[in-house]
């Protein structure tokens, strides 16, 4: 199972990188323009319309899974890096793994951090005012 997972991860990474390039956008735009220009030759038939609808639907459907895989791996890697920074710094280790908390717990922690930041800002302003009055 690991080989299949590694293959899909490599495939997803490659597709995500290729899909984000300007050349890919230009190629897709050219494909749509060719389709649009071909309309009069096919009398703008239902089949002509179905070709672009089906093509774009299939590509979009498959890209959702490929890009979600890449985004999930990127998110997990970023979280691991942040956890490592927390563990090696003087920050509170209680923040390691907070991505696993539920929505309410995350909101409460965010509120607490915002209050601490406000308090620290006030202290910094007081110090700054004290230093300028000296």
């Amino acid at each position: 199972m690991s080989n299949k997972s590694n293959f899909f991860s490599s495939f997803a990474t490659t597709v995500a990188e290729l899909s984000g390039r300007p050349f890919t956008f230009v190629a897709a735009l050219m494909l749509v323009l060719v389709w649009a220009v071909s309309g009069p030759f096919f009398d703008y038939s239902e089949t002509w319309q179905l070709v672009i609808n089906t093509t774009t639907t299939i590509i979009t459907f498959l890209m959702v899974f490929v890009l979600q895989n890449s985004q999930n791996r990127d998110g997990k890697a970023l979280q691991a890096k942040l956890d490592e920074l927390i563990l090696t710094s003087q920050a509170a280790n209680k923040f390691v793994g907070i991505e696993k908390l539920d929505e309410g717990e995350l909101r409460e922690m965010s509120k607490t951090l915002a209050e601490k930041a406000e308090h620290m800002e006030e202290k910094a302003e007081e110090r700054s005012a004290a230093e300028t009055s000296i």
Side-chain angles (χ1 to χ4, degrees):
M1 189 75 176
S2 181
N3 282 342
K4 288 181 183 178
S5 178
N6 288 340
F7 171 76
F8 185 72
S9 291
S10 296
F11 173 77
T13 299
T14 303
V15 170
E17 287 175 7
L18 291 173
S19 67
R21 293 187 178 171
F23 173 79
T24 308
F25 173 78
V26 171
L29 180 64
M30 294 305 293
L31 184 64
V32 170
L33 290 175
V34 167
W35 169 81
V37 169
S38 70
F41 299 107
F42 294 100
D43 294 323
Y44 300 102
S45 68
E46 286 185 23
T47 303
W48 173 78
Q49 293 176 33
L50 192 59
V51 166
I52 197 72
N53 289 339
T54 303
T55 303
T56 56
T57 300
I58 290 170
I59 290 171
T60 302
F61 178 74
L62 296 175
M63 286 299 290
V64 165
F65 299 103
V66 168
L67 295 176
Q68 187 63 49
N69 177 272
S70 292
Q71 187 175 9
N72 287 347
R73 283 185 293 105
D74 288 348
K76 287 176 185 174
L78 180 61
Q79 201 59 53
K81 291 174 185 179
L82 289 172
D83 288 350
E84 177 66 14
L85 288 172
I86 290 168
L87 289 170
T88 59
S89 71
Q90 293 182 4
N93 287 346
K94 68 181 180 181
F95 295 110
V96 173
I98 65 168
E99 70 278 3
K100 295 176 181 101
L101 297 177
D102 67 31
E103 186 92 18
E105 292 170 318
L106 282 173
R107 275 197 207 117
E108 187 61 36
M109 188 169 276
S110 180
K111 181 181 173 186
T112 302
L113 288 171
E115 289 169 358
K116 281 184 179 180
E118 213 172 281
H119 181 70
M120 294 301 285
E121 187 177 330
E122 289 171 3
K123 277 188 173 181
E125 287 174 0
E126 288 172 9
R127 277 192 200 137
S128 178
E131 288 175 0
T132 56
S133 67
I134 295 177

